[in-house]
Amino acid sequence: MTWSEMQPLLEQACQETLVMVGWSTLIAVLGGLPLGILLVLTDKGGLLQNTLVNKVIGQIVNVGRSMPFIILMVALMNFTRWVTGTTIGSEAAIVPLAIGGIPFFARLVETAVREVDHGLVEAVQAMGGNTWTIVRKVLVPESLPSLIASTTTTVIALIGYSAMAGTVGGGGLGDLAVRYGYQRFETGLMWITVAILAVVISLIQFAGDYAARALHRRGARSGPGPRLRLLKAQEPAAADVSKVA
């Protein structure tokens, strides 16, 4: 197979992989972020401590993470057909990719949020901040570098899942490698596909690491709690007003 024959196949496969990974990552982040934060809030000693809710959510996440992706795809075929109307193609692959990515990202979010200094949380509580304020002003901003790194890890994992989805007609680079590289013995095309995946993953990892380090350095320069200092600065003014009254 010549390069002129490979090029359109590679372009279409790259586009399908981009669509699958892009949409599934977006859904995984939107679903996994609140789920991971909720695991922290409902844990023992958390702001919304609830043992039953925490165990139920934790068990669901554990089951989702422990199931091999190829089995998950097969188990979700009926649901995928109900959502997309088909079980093959890149659109159908988004469903199991997103569902598999949500619990994966949720655990990473839980780990990232647990690293936040509990003293900052206590300080905001002492100033009258509610749970939503603590999540929005402390937990998410302070864990942002780790969340960026977690998102990078999730994207790379979903790229691997998308290649696996190609073995059952999911489209993308994995499907191209199987149909041409394996079934038609086009070894050159298969190695080009492997090289593309390696380059893409390396670039994503580099970009994610750079963004995480940049955010970490910015946070180190500005200090861990600029919002807390602002709140503390406002407290004496309030006290002075009460004394004058």
Side-chain angles (χ1 to χ4, degrees), residues 11 13-14 19 33 35 44 52 97 101 118 153 178 204:
E11 289 177 355
C14 288
V19 170
L33 181 61
L35 202 61
K44 184 177 180 180
L52 178 61
L97 282 171
H118 192 67
T153 302
V178 170
I204 292 173

Side-chain angles (χ1 to χ4, degrees), residues 57-89:
I57 296 176
Q59 191 62 34
I60 293 173
V61 170
N62 289 338
V63 171
R65 286 191 61 196
S66 63
M67 187 174 296
F69 181 72
I70 192 70
I71 296 177
L72 181 65
M73 287 190 64
V74 175
L76 292 174
M77 277 188 174
N78 290 332
F79 179 71
T80 301
R81 185 181 292 110
W82 177 74
V83 173
T84 64
T86 181
T87 57
I88 59 175

Side-chain angles (χ1 to χ4, degrees), residues 65 67 69 73 97 100-101 104 156-166:
R65 286 191 61 196
M67 187 174 296
F69 181 72
M73 287 190 64
L97 282 171
F104 182 85
I156 293 174
L158 289 175
I159 291 175
Y161 290 167
S162 70
M164 197 182 305

Side-chain angles (χ1 to χ4, degrees), residues 35-55 57-58 114:
L35 202 61
I37 293 175
L38 194 60
L39 281 169
V40 177
L41 296 179
T42 58
D43 199 6
K44 184 177 180 180
L47 299 174
L48 301 175
Q49 180 175 333
N50 190 313
T51 304
L52 178 61
V53 172
N54 184 266
K55 287 185 177 180
I57 296 176
R114 287 190 188 281

Side-chain angles (χ1 to χ4, degrees), residues 129-166:
N130 56 24
T131 301
W132 170 243
T133 301
I134 292 172
V135 171
R136 187 166 56 93
K137 297 291 187 179
V138 179
L139 296 183
V140 173
E142 294 297 328
S143 61
L144 193 56
S146 297
L147 291 177
I148 295 295
S150 300
T151 303
T152 304
T153 302
T154 303
V155 172
I156 293 174
L158 289 175
I159 291 175
Y161 290 167
S162 70
M164 197 182 305

